[in-house]
Amino acid sequence: MLACGLLCLATGLLPAEPAGDAMLRIAPLLAFLGTVIVLAELTSAAEVFDVVASGVARAGRGSYAALFVLCVAFASLTTITLNLDTTAVLLTPVMLALASRVGIAPVPLAMTTVWLANTASLLLPVSNLTNLLAADRVALTPAGLAAKMWAPQLAAIAVSMGCLWLFFWRSGKRGAENYPPPAVHRPADRTLFRVCGLACVGFLLAILLADIPLWTASAAAAGVAVAAFAVRRRGVLRLSLVPWRLLVLVPGLFLVVETVNVNGLHEMLAAAIGPDGGLLGMLRAAAVGGGLSNVLNNLPVYLAGESAVPVANHDQLLALLIGTNVGPVVTPWASLATLLWFERCHAQGVRVSLKSFMGTGALLAAGALPAATVALALAG
């Protein structure tokens, strides 16, 4: 993707000025993405997620209904605080290992992870790269974005829960009637466990309460985790912790989108989204964002759609954000998180039918998009 973007620049399809503006805009995003993934990887290596997952299963006391609610809460909290790609990359193997440990069907846990990775990514700037862009466009702090998006977020999670229970968790779909609670998981290194856990808590508090850039907060938290591992388990620290593929992919996406944008996409999207800032215009923006995300990918669609929404239509822009965050649950390529999730499922030997994935995802999107958009309008 980066090579394609550079080719567009070299051939003149993309003028230098918009390319430079795009690179300046994503520099803080790349710094954030790189450091937050390192933080999440080290948090996983410190067994924080394993302890929480084991605790979640034990708290369910063998009840599938209780386990369902707890897994939804766990996946949602991970997405909201550590971003959707972290949920896809790190929580998926934890959930699948949990399914194996307690002898329950893996698909309900896997689908809970991928759906909540997308639909629970509305609340904070940290939750999704698109949120960072939207918050910057409408000049919202993390607390300000949360104040605007709490109702849409609750609506999206509620619809996700209904679809998850209907399609995957209800009796007859999940396998056994109950499950044996696992033993308490005790981390091998309690010091690393405590330090990384506190680093994550500190990161969350910093982005909510302190007026500092997100990448600064994530870099500081990752630095604490790296320092702890340098002292306790130096062998874990390696260059592969840095998400090089993402750091190459994202600039390429931005360059390609800028190329398409300056060559006609802007006009097409402006006509499709329209200038109406009311509820109908918001629903239209959400539908366009969700539909095109499943055809292309949510990040380039948001980038192109953002410039097509009138500057004064803040709620319409947030509706577009709902479409590009909640909508990409139908096709495997609609979001990077979904692609990463498929990769992790394949590595763990878990197969999810593509027909089932797309069919149930389409019904989820059809319910969650209007519900979240109407919630945004009512709360606003």
Side-chain angles (χ1 to χ4, degrees):
M1 183 61 72
L2 181 59
C4 183
L6 292 175
L7 181 62
C8 292
L9 183 61
T11 57
L13 286 174
L14 175 61
E17 184 175 351
D21 290 342
M23 292 302 98
L24 286 175
R25 189 178 186 189
I26 68 168
L29 305 185
L30 293 176
F32 160 72
L33 183 61
T35 52
V36 80
I37 293 294
V38 169
L39 171 64
E41 289 278 6
L42 293 178
T43 299
S44 179
E47 301 177 69
V48 173
F49 290 150
D50 293 289
V51 170
V52 175
S54 177
V56 166
R58 289 175 58 79
R61 298 179 180 272
S63 165
Y64 264 104
L67 181 65
F68 169 67
V69 173
L70 290 167
C71 285
V72 167
F74 187 22
S76 298
L77 183 63
T78 303
T79 299
I80 289 169
T81 58
L82 289 175
N83 86 36
L84 74 168
D85 296 324
T86 296
T87 299
V89 171
L90 299 179
L91 191 57
T92 300
V94 171
M95 288 291 206
L96 295 179
L98 174 61
S100 176
R101 191 178 303 128
V102 300
I104 62 178
V107 172
L109 287 165
M111 292 303 300
T112 300
T113 305
V114 70
W115 276 5
L116 270 302
N118 289 288
T119 62
S121 66
L122 289 172
L123 192 64
L124 298 175
V126 69
S127 309
N128 199 324
L129 282 176
T130 52
N131 296 9
L132 290 168
L133 300 171
D136 179 63
R137 162 77 178 265
V138 297
L140 287 174
T141 64
L145 183 65
K148 289 288 292 184
M149 301 302 283
W150 67 268
Q153 183 62 93
L154 288 178
I157 291 175
V159 175
S160 299
M161 290 180 70
C163 290
L164 281 167
W165 184 265
L166 177 65
F167 298 133
F168 300 104
W169 280 84
R170 64 183 171 87
S171 180
K173 292 289 186 181
R174 62 183 179 235
E177 289 300 316
N178 49 46
Y179 69 92
V184 174
H185 184 90
R186 303 191 184 280
D189 190 319
R190 290 177 177 268
T191 299
L192 284 177
F193 169 76
R194 293 190 184 101
V195 170
C196 289
L198 289 173
C200 288
V201 172
F203 167 64
L204 178 59
L205 292 176
I207 65 172
L208 287 175
L209 304 178
D211 186 20
I212 59 175
L214 283 171
W215 71 268
T216 304
S218 60
V224 170
V226 168
F229 271 88
V231 173
R232 307 284 297 186
R233 289 172 59 191
R234 185 180 294 272
V236 173
L237 301 177
R238 57 192 187 278
L239 286 176
S240 60
L241 289 174
V242 179
W244 301 111
R245 182 171 56 180
L246 291 179
L247 298 182
V248 170
L249 175 65
V250 172
L253 278 174
F254 272 72
L255 290 174
V256 170
V257 168
E258 284 295 326
T259 302
V260 177
N261 205 32
V262 299
N263 286 281
L265 180 61
H266 172 80
E267 289 75 14
M268 184 189 75
L269 280 175
I273 292 172
D276 180 8
L279 177 59
L280 290 179
M282 293 165 64
L283 289 168
R284 189 170 172 177
V288 170
L292 281 182
S293 291
N294 284 293
V295 175
L296 303 171
N297 179 273
N298 67 330
L299 181 57
V301 168
Y302 174 80
L303 289 170
E306 183 188 67
S307 64
V309 174
V311 174
N313 292 3
H314 289 183
D315 284 350
Q316 190 182 26
L317 179 73
L318 294 177
L320 173 69
L321 182 69
I322 289 172
T324 56
N325 283 21
V326 176
V329 290
V330 182
T331 58
W333 56 83
S335 75
L336 179 61
T338 304
L339 285 171
L340 294 171
W341 173 83
F342 265 106
E343 182 181 64
R344 288 301 171 104
C345 286
H346 181 78
Q348 297 286 324
V350 175
R351 300 291 184 269
V352 178
S353 162
L354 187 59
K355 180 180 179 181
S356 173
F357 179 86
M358 295 182 68
T360 56
L363 292 173
L364 169 61
L369 282 183
T373 305
V374 169
L376 174 64
L378 292 176

